[in-house]
């Protein structure tokens, strides 16, 4: 019918326009800026200077750059480990149990996604600083220093990336239900056996998905870490702080090289996430 054919042609035109708009938007916002970072990473610093991959590796071999990435990996590792343990526990608590304040806890879990990381860092300073913090002096009296040290940076990183694990696990737990766990319990399985043999295999892909996203978020954290860290060379300077410090000090080549490494880490995380998705989620 002519009317149906006209409607289909109209929808086709609208579809192509929307695709063009989305592709253009992503190009301007993501692809173009990142391509500039890649281009300047391998570009020579001066007219007669050498560029390319060799110069890129030379910039990364700077001891301060090595320290910054080592500290970043350390903070990200412990933050992801904390988020994995507590993310599993909180997810099971929210899905499998009913208790007063459950909805409030669910809202608090999403708080790190809505609060600025700078506010998170400031809150940690107010709570754990040695001068006016609630717990700072008590912890320092037993030799535990939070603000201005690695533990504080780990706490800040873990806080901002915690929801990424929980919000991947909760939908899967709700989907699988409790029938298999109740059947295992009726057959004499302990809670740990039921978790290890039934629950964990059912949520393993969601857990892996959340861990990879949490790792990518942790590697790129800036705001909260900047507040709680001294941010000086060889003293609390993570990769993101290194990029800012080097760029402000007109060492743009090193800043671009470090930024390129973080971009590679983010792309690698997306590739891993794509491959660890369940088959039904890929279609």
């Amino acid at each position: 019918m002519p009317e149906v054919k006209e409607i289909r042609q109209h929808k086709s035109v609208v579809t192509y326009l929307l695709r063009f708009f989305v592709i253009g938007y992503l190009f301007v916002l993501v692809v173009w800026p990142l391509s500039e970072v890649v281009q300047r990473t391998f570009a020579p610093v001066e007219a007669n200077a050498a560029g390319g991959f060799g110069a890129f590796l030379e910039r990364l071999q700077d001891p301060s750059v090595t320290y910054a990435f080592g500290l970043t990996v350390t903070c990200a590792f412990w933050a992801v480990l904390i988020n994995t343990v507590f993310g599993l526990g909180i997810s099971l608590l929210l899905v499998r149990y009913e208790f007063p304040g459950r909805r409030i806890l669910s809202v608090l879990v999403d708080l790190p996604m809505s609060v600025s990381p700078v506010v998170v860092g400031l809150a940690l300073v107010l709570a754990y600083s040695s001068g006016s913090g609630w717990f700072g002096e008590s912890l320092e009296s037993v030799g535990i220093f939070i603000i201005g040290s690695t533990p504080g940076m780990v706490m800040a990183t873990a806080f901002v990336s915690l929801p990424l694990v929980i919000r991947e696990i909760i939908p899967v737990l709700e989907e699988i239900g409790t029938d298999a766990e109740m059947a295992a319990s009726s057959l004499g399985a302990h809670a740990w056996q039921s978790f290890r043999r039934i629950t964990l295999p059912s949520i393993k892909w969601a857990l892996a998905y959340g861990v990879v996203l949490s790792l990518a978020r942790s590697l790129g954290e800036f705001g909260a870490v900047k507040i709680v860290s001294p941010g000086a060379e060889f003293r609390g300077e993570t990769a993101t702080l290194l990029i800012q410090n080097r760029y402000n000090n007109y060492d743009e080549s090193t800043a671009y090289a470090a930024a390129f490494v973080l971009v590679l880490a983010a792309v690698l995380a997306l590739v891993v996430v794509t491959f660890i998705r369940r088959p039904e989620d890929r279609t």
Side-chain angles (χ1 to χ4, degrees):
M1 297 177 64
E3 294 181 356
V4 175
K5 185 177 181 180
E6 183 178 352
I7 293 174
R8 289 179 178 177
Q9 290 178 347
H10 177 71
K11 288 184 177 180
S12 177
V13 172
V14 173
T15 301
Y16 281 112
L17 287 176
L18 288 175
R19 289 178 181 177
F20 178 79
F21 174 77
V22 171
I23 293 174
Y25 174 78
L26 292 177
F27 177 80
V28 173
L29 191 66
V30 179
V31 178
W32 189 11
L34 292 182
S35 65
E36 287 292 323
V37 171
V38 175
Q39 179 181 354
R40 299 198 178 193
T41 297
F42 299 100
V45 180
E46 299 176 356
N48 298 325
F53 191 72
F56 166 70
L57 290 180
E58 184 179 353
R59 295 160 191 163
L60 294 183
Q61 291 173 359
D62 187 301
S64 60
V65 177
T66 304
Y67 168 85
F69 276 103
L71 181 60
T72 299
V73 172
T74 300
C75 293
F77 171 79
W78 288 110
V80 170
L81 182 62
I82 293 170
N83 287 342
T84 301
V85 175
F86 283 93
L88 272 172
I90 294 174
S91 300
L92 290 170
L93 184 65
L94 290 174
V95 177
R96 295 289 188 257
Y97 300 94
E98 293 286 344
F99 56 91
R102 178 173 172 270
R103 292 185 177 180
I104 296 177
L105 178 60
S106 180
V107 172
L108 290 177
V109 165
D110 292 327
L111 189 62
M113 302 298 293
S114 57
V115 174
S116 170
V118 176
V119 177
V120 174
L122 180 60
L124 290 175
V125 170
L126 294 176
Y128 295 103
S129 63
S130 58
S132 58
W134 292 355
F135 311 108
E137 293 184 359
S138 300
L139 292 174
E140 290 184 8
S141 63
V142 295
I144 301 176
F145 298 89
I146 303 298
I147 303 303
S149 62
T150 302
M153 300 165 66
V154 172
M155 291 175 63
T157 305
F159 183 90
V160 299
S161 56
L162 176 63
L164 297 174
V165 175
I166 297 175
R167 290 309 174 190
E168 295 297 331
I169 296 177
I170 286 181
V172 179
L173 284 175
E174 293 175 342
E175 179 182 351
I176 64 176
T178 59
D179 293 342
E181 296 173 4
M182 293 177 64
S185 178
S186 65
L187 293 174
H190 300 294
W192 170 247
Q193 291 176 326
S194 177
F195 172 77
R196 182 170 59 88
R197 296 185 179 183
I198 297 176
T199 307
L200 188 58
S202 300
I203 65 173
K204 62 181 180 180
W205 296 120
L207 176 62
Y209 193 93
V211 166
V212 173
L213 291 179
S214 180
L215 176 62
R217 179 68 179 84
S218 299
L219 290 174
E221 174 51 32
F222 175 78
V225 170
K226 182 175 176 59
I227 299 298
V228 301
S229 169
E233 193 173 63
F234 297 107
R235 187 166 176 264
E237 186 182 54
T238 61
T240 51
L241 298 180
L242 170 78
I243 294 171
Q244 184 200 39
N245 293 339
R246 292 302 179 94
Y247 189 83
N248 290 339
N249 292 329
Y250 304 101
D251 186 5
E252 297 182 3
S253 59
T254 304
Y256 288 130
F260 179 73
V261 174
L262 293 182
V263 170
L264 282 182
V267 172
L268 180 62
L270 293 177
V271 172
V272 171
V273 162
T274 301
F275 279 100
I276 65 177
R277 282 180 178 175
R278 294 179 301 172
E280 57 268 27
D281 292 337
R282 298 181 188 175
T283 56

